[in-house]
Amino acid sequence: MLLLFFGPSGVGKGTYARMFVERNGFVHVSTGDILRAEVASGSKLGKEVEKLITSGKFVPQEMMNPLLKAYLEKIDYKHKKVILDGYPRSLEQAEGSKDFLNFDYLLSFEANEKTLVDRLSKRWTCPKCGEIYHEINIPPKVKWICDKDGAKLFQRDDDKPEAIKSRLNEYKSKAEPVLNYYPKKKVLRLSADEDMETVYKRAIKVLKL
Ligand code: AP5
Ligand code: MG
């Protein structure tokens, strides 16, 4: 089974994907994580990617697609239950992935802008296991220390106000049109303004899992 997790920055795609991994045995593939790993590798491509990500701009198709395809092949995605989080993010990507992305459903998570900005500006992430926290909504037991492995949490460089604004604009202009590209029966739209348990249960119900 292949699910696409779609939605603006901060809507909770990564958070719900982690719940699906722990509770429903899915593998989580995040294009944002793939790009951040490329940045961390220090490669020439990673340096170009870093500039785009920190300014809140989407990465062009010719950089994104080869990285994603290589990653999917490496994990043998056709024989696994996979959540693809953050792809496609443009009509160009939707069109260009027709041949290899034979997905079951696209889940479009939706929340109001105030919620998104609040969630992003108070997000803390574990560098070791990727666990995602929020200062108020989902705080760690001990301030800025991961509950799972004790690592020191960090805030993402693209969670600064200017970059958040740019990411939300990029989503509106480039990603949202993707929703009308696919057949309506494959697109499931979900409200994600509520707490993560409520949103997770809503997703499970609509997918009949
Ligand atoms: P990516 O890493 O995918 O970032 P994003 O889409 O901007 O989304 P986020 O990861 O910021 O938010 P999320 O929806 O996962 O929310 P989260 O679960 O963390 O991409 C980063 C960049 O890479 C892009 O800007 C672009 O430059 C590039 N890129 C990636 N894919 C690309 C592509 N296909 N093409 C081109 N460029 C690409 O939750 C956010 C916060 O809210 C957390 O604090 C969490 O604890 C909290 N929270 C979540 N859900 C709830 C809830 N229900 N209630 C209360 N709090 C909640
Ligand atoms: Mg994410």
Side-chain angles (χ1 to χ4, degrees):
M1 184 178 213
L2 176 60
L3 301 175
L4 306 184
F5 273 22
F6 189 88
S9 305
V11 78
K13 302 179 293 294
T15 301
Y16 316 132
R18 293 182 71 81
M19 296 169 93
F20 271 71
V21 169
E22 280 174 18
R23 303 181 191 184
N24 307 90
F26 277 81
V27 175
H28 178 207
V29 178
S30 152
T31 47
D33 288 346
I34 293 173
L35 292 168
R36 283 184 286 276
E38 191 62 33
V39 172
S41 79
S43 69
K44 191 164 165 270
L45 173 63
K47 291 200 167 64
E48 287 176 55
V49 168
E50 186 174 24
K51 274 188 232 148
L52 292 162
I53 289 189
T54 42
S55 63
K57 295 273 174 252
F58 284 2
V59 172
Q61 163 94 328
E62 60 276 15
M63 290 184 185
M64 186 71 256
N65 267 26
L67 286 172
L68 175 63
K69 273 187 165 175
Y71 190 92
L72 289 174
E73 273 161 31
K74 197 175 78 189
I75 64 159
D76 190 22
Y77 77 108
K78 284 190 179 149
H79 300 103
K80 303 235 164 85
K81 288 185 353 182
V82 174
I83 289 171
L84 179 54
D85 156 6
Y87 189 96
R89 250 179 236 239
S90 63
L91 284 175
E92 208 191 0
Q93 287 183 359
E95 183 68 32
S97 58
K98 269 193 315 213
D99 300 337
F100 67 94
L101 269 197
N102 185 16
F103 68 92
D104 295 278
Y105 293 104
L106 179 153
L107 269 72
S108 172
F109 296 98
E110 298 170 9
N112 73 59
E113 195 164 318
K114 201 167 157 275
T115 305
L116 301 175
V117 173
D118 172 81
R119 285 184 186 170
L120 290 172
S121 47
K122 298 190 180 69
R123 168 169 56 191
W124 291 80
T125 308
C126 176
K128 211 163 155 191
C129 71
E131 192 65 7
I132 305 164
Y133 299 89
H134 181 277
E135 280 179 33
I136 315 288
N137 306 338
I138 309 155
K141 290 193 186 91
V142 179
K143 242 187 186 180
W144 322 146
I145 300 293
C146 181
D147 293 349
K148 300 213 161 148
D149 56 32
K152 200 166 178 288
L153 305 178
F154 75 101
Q155 290 193 288
R156 269 169 47 178
D157 284 342
D158 59 349
D159 284 344
K160 308 226 159 58
E162 272 315 298
I164 291 177
K165 212 166 123 193
S166 170
R167 286 155 69 201
L168 294 175
N169 286 338
E170 289 272 270
Y171 175 78
K172 275 208 178 79
S173 61
K174 295 187 181 153
E176 250 177 15
V178 169
L179 290 174
N180 293 321
Y181 173 83
Y182 293 122
K184 278 204 166 54
K185 61 176 196 287
K186 284 199 160 198
V187 175
L188 309 173
R189 300 178 83 135
L190 297 178
S191 156
D193 276 302
E194 299 83 351
D195 64 278
M196 63 184 204
E197 242 356 284
T198 305
V199 179
Y200 168 77
K201 282 191 190 126
R202 188 171 284 152
I204 290 295
K205 195 170 167 199
V206 74
L207 288 166
K208 301 189 180 73
L209 284 179

